Amino acid sequence: MADLMTLPEAAVVLGADVVTLVHIIDVGDTVPTPPVPTDFEDIVFAPDDIERFRVELRRRRFEDFKIEYSDVYTEDTGPGARHLEFGPGWRDILCEFCDGLREFQNAGSRTRLRWGKEKFGAMRLFYDCSDEIATYIAERKGIAYGKSLRTCQECGELARLRFGHSICLTLCDRHKHLVGELDPERDGIILDVDAWSRQQREGEPG
């Protein structure tokens, strides 16, 4: 057992932060070989676990995507830089959006994806493009947004927005535990926070 590595030690070796490793373990698809204790501070890794977690981190950092779509994706840099800040289950949606950018770019229009994030369980994409194609790119961004609300951001399976008491995420049945205890007043009722917010505003007296 002397070869076992603590959670902070594994984080250093993997070049990741502890919070990210804990999240991966909480998801449940990639876990250390030794049984996972109730207290995450007591998690340990066997030597063979490191490579499996390295592969998972690469997937979550979209490393292969960045190489494949380097012609239409320019990573944000500098102070306050943002990245692709959502789960790997949305990779196909991301690729479909960037395939569209590639079509416009091949036709001579300027367009680049800069960064993206998850907010209220949906994919938000940020990009630069020529004015003449702005409407078309916005339409494809809307399609990606809609698909993300039906796709588990962890695994890519069919999903819906899950409302916990302090967080909401679009997850399948297998990963719904990530939002904690479900809020019965909102879970299964609000399936698109943006649409719900618009309805609430429209219902307000003028």
Side-chain angles (χ1 to χ4, degrees), residues 108-126:
S109 296
R110 177 184 59 80
T111 178
R112 306 282 288 191
L113 175 66
R114 300 306 304 274
W115 62 284
K117 68 176 180 178
E118 174 275 326
K119 181 179 180 182
F120 298 137
M123 174 186 277
R124 321 283 173 147
L125 297 173
F126 301 85

Side-chain angles (χ1 to χ4, degrees), residues 89-164:
W90 286 349
R91 186 184 191 280
D92 286 349
I93 301 173
L94 178 66
C95 289
E96 182 179 11
F97 176 79
C98 286
D99 286 339
L101 297 188
R102 189 173 274 164
E103 290 176 11
F104 286 110
Q105 184 165 279
N106 290 341
S109 296
R110 177 184 59 80
T111 178
R112 306 282 288 191
L113 175 66
R114 300 306 304 274
W115 62 284
K117 68 176 180 178
E118 174 275 326
K119 181 179 180 182
F120 298 137
M123 174 186 277
R124 321 283 173 147
L125 297 173
F126 301 85
Y127 52 85
D128 298 325
C129 70
S130 305
D131 290 343
E132 68 271 13
I133 61 170
T135 299
Y136 302 105
I137 301 298
E139 179 180 309
R140 296 191 180 213
K141 174 183 175 181
I143 292 172
Y145 171 94
K147 288 186 174 183
S148 71
L149 284 170
R150 303 189 298 274
T151 306
C152 179
Q153 75 158 311
E154 289 297 336
C155 68
E157 293 297 318
L158 186 65
R160 69 166 174 83
L161 188 64
R162 311 279 180 167
F163 253 102

